[in-house]
Amino acid sequence: MSGICGLHHIALLCSDEPRSKVFYEQLGFTVTARHERSERGDVILMMRGYGITLELFCDAKHPPRPTSPEAFGLRHLALRVDKGALDIVTDRLRAVGYCPEEPRFDSFTHEAMTFVKDPDGLPIELHE
C-alpha cells in the first residue's frame, strides 16, 4: 500500500505504571518520556527499544483484559530474542516475579519460543 512506511508505535493500556515500567524494562525497553494528564487522570509512558516504541496508557479505571475465551483485538505482542538467549530473558523475568511458560518450538519455523503475561495479562511472546 502506497504511503505507509512502517510501524510508528504500539499503544498498551496498563493499570499500574510502576509494575508495567519494571516489566518492560526487564525486556530491554527504556523510558523516553512520561506525560501526566490530570484532565484524564492517567499517565502516558513512552518506552523505546529495538527500534520499537511502546506507548503505555497507565490508568487503573479500564476493565481487565478477557483471557478466556480470547476476545477480538490484539492477541499478543511478539518480541524477537537473540538465538540462544531465551533462557537469559526468561530468567531475568522470573527474578522480578513473572512466570514465563516452559519454552517450546514453533510448529512452523521450529524456533524456540515462550509466552509470559505482562502485569495486566497481555501475552508477550518471546521468539528466537
Side-chain angles (χ1 to χ4, degrees), residues 89-109:
V89 176
T90 56
D91 287 349
R92 203 166 55 222
L93 290 168
R94 280 189 193 92
V96 294
Y98 292 94
C99 300
E101 295 176 0
E102 286 300 313
R104 59 183 186 261
F105 293 92
D106 183 291
S107 58
F108 300 111
T109 66

Side-chain angles (χ1 to χ4, degrees), residues 11-122:
L12 304 172
L13 296 174
C14 304
S15 63
D16 185 299
E17 179 188 355
R19 274 188 354 187
S20 294
K21 177 181 175 286
V22 167
F23 178 82
Y24 287 102
E25 284 175 338
Q26 292 303 312
L27 291 176
F29 289 87
T30 57
V31 174
T32 58
R34 183 181 184 279
H35 307 286
E36 288 190 42
R37 300 190 307 173
S38 57
E39 73 282 1
R40 292 189 182 217
D42 68 357
V43 171
I44 297 174
L45 202 59
M46 302 300 292
M47 300 187 81
R48 186 138 178 92
Y50 320 105
I52 301 167
T53 298
L54 299 179
E55 182 180 30
L56 282 71
F57 287 82
C58 305
D59 179 353
K61 295 183 297 278
H62 295 286
R65 175 185 172 84
T67 57
S68 187
E70 290 182 327
F72 290 111
L74 179 67
R75 185 171 190 180
H76 63 265
L77 177 62
L79 300 173
R80 176 142 323 265
V81 175
D82 288 329
K83 201 73 129 166
L86 193 58
D87 288 340
I88 294 167
V89 176
T90 56
D91 287 349
R92 203 166 55 222
L93 290 168
R94 280 189 193 92
V96 294
Y98 292 94
C99 300
E101 295 176 0
E102 286 300 313
R104 59 183 186 261
F105 293 92
D106 183 291
S107 58
F108 300 111
T109 66
H110 307 288
E111 296 166 333
M113 59 177 279
T114 190
F115 282 87
V116 62
K117 290 190 177 170
D118 83 352
D120 292 295
L122 175 66

